[in-house]
Every structure is written in C-alpha cells, then in structure tokens.
Amino acid sequence: NAGVTQTPKFQVLKTGQSMTLQCAQDMNHEYMSWYRQDPGMGLRLIHYSVGAGITDQGEVPNGYNVSRSTTEDFPLRLLSAAPSQTSVYFCASGSGFSGNTIYFGEGSWLTVV
Amino acid sequence: GQQVMQIPQYQHVQEGEDFTTYCNSSTTLSNIQWYKQRPGGHPVFLIQLVKSGEVKKQKRLTFQFGEAKKNSSLHITATQTTDVGTYFCAGRNNNDMRFGAGTRLTVKP
C-alpha cells in the first residue's frame, strides 16, 4: 500500500518557470490537500478538495492552481514561480472531511532561484 | 479568519523530564488533531479530539481538549530521546483546518 505519493522529491526552478507537483493516493480518500511548510510557520493550507471535481482555496492560494479530475490525483501547479515559493510542500489525504486521520506524503522540496 | 497559536516554539529537556505544548484557537473548533514530525520527515497523525473536555492517553502522551473547544494540550511524561521532533496541533472549524506553528522538542540524553 503506497499511501500518499508525491513527486518530485526535490526540484530547483528559475523565477518565472512553471511546474506541477504531483500527488496520488491509493486509499480512495475523498479529501486531499496541499500544504507548504516554512521555518517557524508550521503548515499552511494552499488548496484542498473534498472530492473529484471539487476544489477550494485554503489560507495561501495565490500563485497556485489545483484540479481534481480523479479521486486518486491532486496536482499542484505553480504558474510562475517566485523565490517566495521556495518551501517544502506536503500533499495530504483523508477519508471524508469530518476530521478523520490525515495522511501526509513525504514532501517535495522546492527551491526557486 | 481562524488562527491557531502554539507555544512554546522550542523546548529542550533532559531525558526523563516532562514536556507540554499548548494550542489555542481564535475560534471554537469542531475538533483538534495532533501530529508529530521527525526532522526531515513528514507529519504523522497522533490523535484526534472531538468532545469538549476530552482527555486521551497514548502510553506516556496525554492529550486534552478544553471545555470551550478553543484550546488543547499535549503532555509527555518522562521524555525519551525517541520523542524528539516537532509537535503540531491542527484545529478544524467546518472545512477550514489550520495548523499551529509547532513546538520543536529536543531531548538531552
């Protein structure tokens, strides 16, 4: 059972480039989300989805797009990378949205130069 | 919007000492979750509290949810070196889940 799989694990981007962070889960979870983690800031919610075809903004959505065409996949797109987007990104999934256990992927370390 | 404050930011203890981290929300929460993140790792779910005044225990860890459902605490009795990491609370209010900034625990053998 793979759980939550994120790719790539490490990425360096130039300012202005675009890229997609991939996230897939094999637990048939309705809920998926993306967080960024910066030193001393904890985890901040970027976007989340409560089911295929449904997405919503979190705390820090600017500069990011998401889509949820299938239950399994929830990619995060950086439209035009900026140095302020240098961070560690975590994808997470959970069954339902009533507060059940959230499972995190191993993280994607992104550096924008 | 909802804010979740967590203190202290850092805690360094001698092995065998107790440790407590506190979490406070600006709004009433529907539930609160606690996570542990080892250095270089990803957050791992520890527990969820739902009821007002709820107390749950996991071996040396005791979790409490306040009567007003706006605060919570995690207490570790007799810390061990394996307890090292950052402990996060995450408060949920409807569809909004916010994490505290975390308390980083270091344990000196």
Side-chain angles (χ1 to χ4, degrees), chain A residues 20 55 64 73 76 83-84:
Chain A
T20 299
T55 63
Y64 308 94
D73 300 300
L76 177 72
S84 61

Side-chain angles (χ1 to χ4, degrees), chain A residues 37 48 97 99-100 102 105, chain B residues 33 35 37 42 48 92 95:
Chain A
Q37 185 173 35
Y48 67 95
F97 206 78
N100 294 334
I102 304 294
Chain B
Q33 297 179 347
Y35 293 80
Q37 185 177 24
H42 60 280
Q48 176 179 280
R92 174 165 282 150
N95 287 339

Side-chain angles (χ1 to χ4, degrees), chain B residues 55-64 73-77:
Chain B
V55 178
K56 288 188 176 180
K57 292 189 176 183
Q58 290 180 350
K59 297 182 180 178
R60 294 178 294 104
L61 278 62
T62 302
F63 304 84
Q64 290 188 302
S73 65
L74 159 59
H75 180 81
I76 302 178
T77 303

